[in-house]
Amino acid sequence: MQKKSLSYICLLLTGIILAASCKKGLLDTYPKDKLSGATFWETREDAVNAVNAIYSFLPGNSELNWDMLSDIATTNSAAATTANIERGQTNANMDIFQDLWNDGYKAIRAANYLLENVDQVQERDPSLTDELRDRLKGEARFLRAYFYTRLVMLFGDVPLVTATLDVEEAATLTRTPKEEIWDFVDRELAEIAPHLPNSYTGDNIGRITKGAALALQARAMLYAGRWKRAADAAKAVMDLQVYDLYPQFEQLFTYGAENNQEVILDRQYAKDIASTEFFYNYGPRGMNGDVGICPTRTLVDAFETVNGRSIWDDPDYNPLNPYAGRDPRLGYTVFIPAFSDAVPGDVLYNGRAYDPRPGSGTADEVEVDYRRTKTGYGIRKYINIEDLNDPRNCGTNFILIRYADVLLMYAEAKTELNELDATVYDALNKVRQRSDVNLPPVTAPQTQGQMREIVRHERMVELALEGLRLFDLRRWKAADEVMQGAIPGMTYIRHGESEVDTLLYNGVVRFFDPQRDYLFPIPQQEVLMNSHLTQNPNY
Amino acid sequence: MKKTSSLPLIAGRGRFFKVLLCMKWCFILVLATCLQAAAKGYSQRNVRLTLDLNDVTLSKALSVIGKKSDLRFLYSNDLVPVNKLVAVRASDKPLEDILNDLLADMHLQYRILENDVVVIAPASQNIRVIRVSGLVTDSSGTPLVGVSIKVKGTDRGTVTGGDGRYSLEAPEDASLVFSYVGFQTMEVPVNGRQQIDIRLPENTSGLNEVVVVGYGTQKKISLTTAVTTIDADQVAARHAPNLQSSLQGMAPGLTVWDQGGEPGASSTSFNIRGVTTLGSTSPLFIIDGVEQAYYDINPDDIASVSVLKDAASTAIYGSRAANGVILITTKRAKKGDIRVRYNAWLDLQNLVAEPKHMDTESYLRLQNLAYENRGSDPIYTEEDIQHYVSGDDRLRYPLPNDWYNQVIRKNAPWHNHSIQVSGGGEKLTTLLSARYMDQQGIYPNRNMQRYQLRLNNNFKVSEKINLNADIKLRSQDRYTTNKVGSGIYHYMIHASQLTVPRYPDGTYGVSKQGRNPLAYTDPAIAGYTKSSSDNAVINLQGSWNILKGLKFNTQYAFEVEKYDDLKQWPTYEIHDYWDPEVILSNRAINEMENERTRSLQQTWNNTLTYDLLLADKHDISLLAGYSEISFDTDGLTAGGRDFYNNDLLDLGQGDPLNRTLNNVYEDWGLRSYFGRMRYGYRNKYLLEFNMRYDGSSRFPAGSRYTFFPSFSAAWLISEEAFWSLLKNTVDLFKIRGSYGENGNQNIGLYTYFNNLNFGNYYSFNNVPATGVLQTVFASQDLTWETTTQTNIGLDASFLNGKLGLTFDWYKKLTKGILLELPIPGAVGLDPVAANAGRVQNIGWELQLTHRNRINDFRYALTFNISDVKNEVLDLAGTGPYYSLEKNRYVITEGQEINALWGYQTDGLLTQEDIDKGYPTFSADAQPGDIKYLDRNGDGKITASDQTVLGSSIPHWTYGLNIDLGWRNFDCTMLWQGVGRQDMMIWGAFIENGSWEGFTLAMGKDYWTPENTDARFPRPQKSANKNTEPSDWWVLDAAYLRLKNFQLGYTVPKKVLQRVGINGLRFYVGGTNLLTFSGLKKWGMDAETPAGRAGDFYQQVKTYSAGLNLDF
């Protein structure tokens, strides 16, 4: 019996060993939920999808955070990194700089990766036409140029990378002088513009157009101080006859106006699909928002009176009813706070009065604490009623370049060229006289110096809280004095009183070192990893 | 063999030949020892000697004769005139004649016994020699082979044979000395008896115990490697939430950070012998031969725990062993009557440490000053302060921070029941174990229930074939409110000052920052997570004793784990208590997410072992093995929002446009060949060689396989003849040495593929667009981390095992450490781990044990202590690399891994500093702000002034286990601590009112012109300048704590027998009952994780009561 069972066991053991032995492919595992680079770049779809992914790097509505580092707004949370930058406590170890650097080069890498492979896709899949291939390349090259423009404005000279790199190559890069990068951007945009369509239809709307390439060229050349190139590029956009101002400034940043004729480049969003938390992050506390950004009184005071004059010069201006009779864009840009018991402010979308006055007891009451406005003002652009009940699911596209900007760029470049012809006044006045703005025109003749001030002022109010002010201050070297000290908030009369009080927010006391702060530091880690990368002055 | 006597030539051939040569010499040495030992027992008859001795004592003369003739003389100094001077002259004279001549004059006679022992006695007495024989067994009656029996006073005797029997000639008044490694040495007077059977008591040092090692067992005494065993009873005595916690303080070199026991979640991190990798430092856990989930093992099921530390003991686990290996076996039934044991306990959990908040008035005045120092007006009027202090209207003037009273539960219960039934007969023995545990959290609405079952069966199929079939089932349910933002504890400390926790009508208050930690414990606000995980292990093992000593063992195990996680976020509205129109906080749309994963791990191990004992002294043991492990997991996550109501848990009912759906698949495989060779000579000289050849799917074909060898040797010096004089004091003295390699394959999966992620990254015109993007750098040349380790150890046992000592020194070098090093941003991809650095750990470990009994009082002490010096030797020229908020940890060459990093400080700034223009961090620096040192002297405080500030690694970690017993009372204590550790803190405790965080009572010691020597800088609202990482905020985190305490009483058997119970023990005790720590005054627990109060679950202390019942 025992012998018999023994032989059974032997058989069984041998059986197990044979059956289970050496599971085939035990070590040949491969990812099942990811695509592999080895099998990609085969079809037209692959090429299109690879371009789509580059778009995801386009900065979106957090772009308006740059304005916190300018005179027109401040950071809501005094503990935030941007608040420390406002205080002049900037240092190269701050994560924000590494993130900016990385994000820029990630987008550039994705573009380079496509550019290196798209030709071979065409060999494998003839349905990728020359036209489409050139368009895709154009989109990728545009996006690459967009990020270089941004990197130069943030960091100054940066390595110009036009191919995918391995670690060794990247570790020995040097900083390319920014003039060379401007040359590159200029050349690239000029080259791709002819291959890009004027416009798209259907689910291609939102892609890079010829107008976008020319408009970015205008912006980059303006930033570079190459006035002639800038003016020509802006003129080329105007000559396309594709774009025009949207008649309602008030509606420009709403769902209803998405993809309108003024939009040249935007970061596309969609509720439910590719949504943001814009309303939650930036909306007023009275509508349960986090008040992420606080516009300053510097911005508010910059809006003219309806007479087209500064509030300091206009005898009609009434400091006891300060928001009446003003450039309508003021009320479309920020929520107007209650000034006194007699002069109420805006009514919020939920019917509540916007009364941030100290002592008002409302949710919007100014507090030094987090999640309350510090200046009394709140951003209104992009704060849309559709998002009130679902504030973390917002889908308004965030406009990155619009036609008004192009007009003002044209005016600025021509002014710097001192070519103050009628086209300059036309461009400027077009912006000032949009249907629902309708300010008195600026009339000739103005000196170059006067015109420069007028155009710069117009950019400040027209493009406020769209993330452009910091770069304007940088290129104008205009931050030295405006970025110092405590931050001006609203004027108001306390409930039941009659004296005018002025808010001065000193949770952040600004300090700006002109010898240092016009550029961000190169991230410390990058400098340590690559000894060829020099640090910006005084960091 | 080719002649290779030319040494220079060999030397010229390099290291390999040197090693060969070295091995050859070792072999010759061993051989010579064997030959010498074999030379005994030649006959003295016909021996002829030549001697010329003048005026020597008799004892000297006998000693010389003994040496020349290899005889041993046995006589009594009282009866033989040993000091008498004699002369012996002989030239090639027969031995007998020489002895006769020498002794006759002194009236002495002699007799030569069979073992060349010569008995000398006065001629007047009879020399009575008898043959003594008998059986030597251990305490359980098992015959012991090779026990040495000597006639006392000589070094001659015999050894027991294969059946444990012996026989020898001895004078009938002599004494016999029985000695055996691992057992107590016994001296027995013959007293004329011809039959002497001996039961040798085991050495109390436990050296005889069998230790579980990789793919087998060994006697502790014959270990050549660094293995520590942990007393399974002590593991069970700890009421710890998981296994890791219960191993804390139990073994030298095993460092456990216990960061609190959240019900059903593990909050520990641990390592063996320092940090050798930047990934997980968790050792490999093998339970009953198979890697499987370990944290939830029922402590009552554990039979043994072995901690394998050096490379020689772990190399057999190759690529998974660089962090050390912990082997656990579970209890199996012994044959016999059915035995039932029931264990139950109830623990009451409370916070260990509770920070004391500043008194209300001091807090308000601090705030006023902080505002004033910023240039603002004071925020509280005198009237406000009066209201807050008097407490006349707490709804309008709430206490500054009352969360510890409002949120934390007192005496949160935690109870556990386990029952074990075991027994069986000749052919089948079974052990059934079941357990139920329910743990309530110290936060409301957090709890966990665990149900466990284990069935361990042994089938004896035949004399040669044994089968084990084990089943383990575990089901765990866990419930917790969802983390809101950074979690409850975070908001108890931050962003919730001066909030009414709850108004009389049930409305929650909301802090100015929109927070209320109490509301976050309410599922109707925070939502909840219900997790259930089920785990089943089937473990089948068969062994076949093919021939004597030859054994085949195969094991197949599979572990299935299913995990189901349901998260729900309800709609809610918190209205302002004073103005219900106003909604202070809300969630307008409800959401739900369900994650389900299933994983399967299959292990197949095969070993063939051959054990051989040659000529009773050459102990040879060989092992060859093959193993396969495969792991597959797949997961599905689905989410939705906008459900009909908060109770409907059907994802299908949500908004169809707003669904998320994701699959995840992961798999890996490991194929391994391994082996061991062991040679022991007389249990004195031990050599061992281990190896493993591992292939892992984590690496690209071509670089998958690696070989991990190890060598070790031990010498039991105490078994040498020359030790015999010391033997009574030092009964064991062993030195060990080992060298070996092992590896770490713990890198991400599929890293060598150019993986492209696939997703809807963007939408055009509100239509989702598919995007494909590579985000992570692909690495083709990734390979294992390889750790080489040298270990030198010493084991000693004194006074029959009353005192034990184990000391180990090691040097561990990890090469090709897998670092996820940042790569230049210009690459445009996220980094993947690279084999980038070398890290060295040099450390030592000491364990002392002492056990004794004085009348009714018995005690045992086990003390262990260890330290390790970690150094990053090389980062391939890169680094430093920073981590944690504001770069508080650094990894850089020449420093410890994750050294603390920041500014050095020099007190607080004075007016003199400001006047002299000493550089400051912030432009608005004032006297009373922290003075950061301008280390590089460039006149600015920048990141380049930062430096290493301390060590985040615990040093001098120790544990002391005390077991006391007196009659029916027993008491166990585990003291555990860390001798040196630095901790950098940040967040509310150091902000001291700059923001809206918790202000400590000790924060009252802040800078004012009158109090310049203050612990805290000058208060200033919304200032960050004083909270930069600096040595000002590095605290001494050394501690000593009574980790566990138990006092038990066993009811006398007499009492129990009447009610038919075999055993009954009651006990009371607790964990973390006493703590000595510098962090105490900060209100922090000794084991608080570094940093800002995040979402960690705080450490608890428990009071327990329990009983053990044995039917």
Side-chain angles (χ1 to χ4, degrees), chain B residues 311-371:
Chain B
S313 58
T314 59
I316 203 153
Y317 290 106
S319 64
R320 293 174 296 158
N323 289 330
V325 181
I326 294 184
L327 301 178
I328 291 169
T329 56
T330 58
K331 285 179 182 160
R332 314 199 69 84
K334 290 198 179 101
K335 70 184 176 197
D337 291 340
I338 300 292
R339 228 185 128 187
V340 180
R341 267 163 297 183
Y342 169 69
N343 293 331
W345 49 259
L346 169 69
D347 276 20
L348 300 175
Q349 310 162 85
N350 286 286
L351 269 187
V352 178
E354 202 173 298
K356 290 280 164 287
H357 196 268
M358 196 178 282
D359 66 272
T360 306
E361 182 169 355
S362 300
Y363 170 73
L364 300 171
R365 297 204 185 280
L366 167 78
Q367 286 296 302
N368 276 351
L369 180 60
Y371 277 94

Side-chain angles (χ1 to χ4, degrees), chain B residues 21-318:
Chain B
L21 192 72
C22 182
M23 284 169 65
K24 198 170 93 179
W25 279 110
C26 287
F27 178 72
I28 290 169
L29 202 70
V30 170
L31 194 70
T33 321
C34 300
L35 289 174
Q36 194 201 354
K40 77 163 202 165
Y42 79 101
S43 167
Q44 284 75 40
R45 310 291 182 259
N46 308 322
V47 171
R48 305 173 85 85
L49 296 176
T50 299
L51 288 163
D52 185 8
L53 300 170
N54 272 317
D55 289 340
V56 295
T57 60
L58 176 60
S59 62
K60 173 71 179 170
L62 288 172
S63 157
V64 172
I65 296 168
K67 269 185 192 147
K68 290 209 167 198
S69 61
D70 202 33
L71 290 172
R72 294 291 179 268
F73 293 92
L74 182 66
Y75 49 82
S76 157
N77 287 358
D78 299 337
L79 301 174
V80 173
V82 286
N83 291 320
K84 188 169 180 179
L85 295 179
V86 296
V88 184
R89 276 190 206 86
S91 172
D92 195 30
K93 207 169 166 185
L95 177 73
E96 284 82 354
D97 293 355
I98 297 171
L99 287 177
N100 286 335
D101 290 353
L102 177 65
L103 300 173
D105 294 350
M106 285 174 282
H107 307 287
L108 295 171
Q109 57 167 333
Y110 72 94
R111 187 164 159 193
I112 300 178
L113 308 188
E114 64 177 10
N115 283 314
D116 307 334
V117 174
V118 184
V119 186
I120 299 174
S124 55
Q125 288 181 5
N126 280 337
I127 294 178
R128 296 170 59 163
V129 173
I130 54 171
R131 174 155 293 279
V132 185
S133 53
L135 171 70
V136 184
T137 62
D138 66 10
S139 52
S140 70
T142 312
L144 293 173
V145 183
V147 178
S148 140
I149 300 117
K150 282 168 186 155
V151 179
K152 194 184 173 194
T154 73
D155 57 2
R156 290 292 153 81
T158 184
V159 290
T160 54
D163 53 358
R165 299 202 161 271
Y166 72 96
S167 166
L168 84 172
E169 262 186 336
E172 63 174 25
D173 57 350
S175 288
L176 299 182
V177 178
F178 294 79
S179 64
Y180 192 51
V181 173
F183 289 80
Q184 291 183 24
T185 299
M186 277 184 80
E187 192 180 313
V188 182
V190 174
N191 282 339
R193 287 177 293 172
Q194 288 179 326
Q195 171 83 22
I196 300 176
D197 292 341
I198 290 293
R199 209 168 249 241
L200 272 186
E202 270 144 44
N203 211 326
T204 44
S205 63
L207 284 166
N208 210 41
E209 76 182 68
V210 169
V211 175
V212 178
V213 297
Y215 301 98
T217 57
Q218 281 171 14
K219 272 193 180 167
K220 191 167 186 177
I221 185 83
S222 55
L223 283 177
T224 55
T225 54
V227 176
T228 304
T229 54
I230 295 174
D231 187 341
D233 292 339
Q234 282 173 351
V235 173
R238 273 285 291 281
H239 296 176
N242 51 50
L243 177 70
Q244 303 93 293
S245 309
S246 51
L247 297 179
Q248 191 179 30
M250 294 291 208
L254 173 65
T255 307
V256 180
W257 290 265
D258 183 355
Q259 288 163 352
E262 177 168 10
S266 159
S267 332
T268 51
S269 58
F270 58 145
N271 68 51
I272 292 176
R273 292 191 163 177
V275 180
T276 57
T277 175
L278 298 177
S280 165
T281 56
S282 172
L284 172 71
F285 275 85
I286 303 280
I287 301 178
D288 292 333
V290 178
E291 184 180 7
Q292 54 180 280
Y294 55 87
Y295 62 91
D296 59 355
I297 190 168
N298 180 356
D300 289 329
D301 288 347
I302 297 176
S304 77
V305 181
S306 302
V307 182
L308 276 48
K309 297 187 287 196
D310 64 342
S313 58
T314 59
I316 203 153
Y317 290 106

Side-chain angles (χ1 to χ4, degrees), chain A residues 22-23 28 35 37 49 52 84 87 93 106 109 259 267-268 272 285 369 371 389-390 506 526, chain B residues 374 376 512 584 588-589 628 641 658 671 704 754 756 762 765 770 825 827 830 887 996 1022 1024:
Chain A
C22 299
K23 185 180 163 191
D28 298 315
L35 291 171
N49 291 343
N52 292 348
N84 286 339
R87 291 184 180 101
N93 275 328
K106 280 178 181 177
R109 201 261 177 201
N259 304 316
R267 178 34 160 117
Q268 297 250 323
D272 301 333
R285 191 74 206 107
D369 295 312
R371 298 182 102 204
N389 286 318
D390 198 1
N506 52 15
E526 297 296 320
Chain B
R374 194 185 69 184
S376 305
K512 286 171 180 168
L584 294 177
I589 293 175
E628 281 184 3
R641 61 203 302 268
N658 237 310
R671 170 169 291 154
R704 269 182 193 154
N754 238 337
L756 300 174
Y762 207 73
N765 200 17
T770 301
V827 173
D830 291 329
N887 299 341
E996 309 312 310
S1022 50
N1024 287 330

Side-chain angles (χ1 to χ4, degrees), chain A residues 66 69-70 85 90 97 150-157 175 178 456 469-484 511-522 536-539:
Chain A
W66 295 128
L69 303 180
S70 80
I85 297 173
T90 317
F97 303 124
R150 190 176 152 89
L151 282 169
V152 169
M153 288 312 286
L154 297 172
F155 297 106
D157 302 348
R175 295 173 69 179
K178 68 178 182 189
R456 288 184 179 186
R469 178 72 177 166
L470 172 69
F471 303 115
D472 287 347
L473 289 182
R474 285 190 168 195
R475 60 199 182 87
W476 297 333
K477 294 283 178 286
D480 302 22
E481 271 135 45
V482 297
M483 293 298 292
Q484 308 283 4
F511 176 77
F512 187 92
D513 177 357
Q515 303 307 313
R516 186 188 73 171
D517 290 330
Y518 279 116
L519 289 176
F520 288 147
I522 303 296
N536 277 329
N538 296 312
Y539 280 109

Side-chain angles (χ1 to χ4, degrees), chain B residues 366 369-370 373 907-909 926-932 989-994 1003-1008 1011-1020 1025-1027 1032-1033 1082:
Chain B
L366 167 78
L369 180 60
N373 281 341
L908 299 172
L909 286 165
Q926 294 273 317
D929 285 332
I930 289 177
K931 179 179 178 184
Y932 299 109
F989 288 0
I990 69 167
E991 286 160 2
N992 205 32
S994 298
K1004 280 193 277 188
D1005 181 20
Y1006 54 78
W1007 186 96
T1008 61
N1011 182 26
T1012 52
D1013 184 26
R1015 180 66 182 89
F1016 288 84
R1018 163 181 169 268
Q1020 184 179 347
K1025 56 191 163 181
N1026 291 323
T1027 54
W1032 192 264
W1033 304 116
W1082 292 80

Side-chain angles (χ1 to χ4, degrees), chain B residues 63 80 111 184 237 249 303 336-337 406 411 425 510 549 617 624 653 692 695 837 1021:
Chain B
S63 157
V80 173
R111 187 164 159 193
Q184 291 183 24
D337 291 340
Q406 299 292 331
N411 292 323
V510 175
K617 56 198 173 224
Q653 299 299 320
R692 188 171 181 115
K1021 206 66 193 171

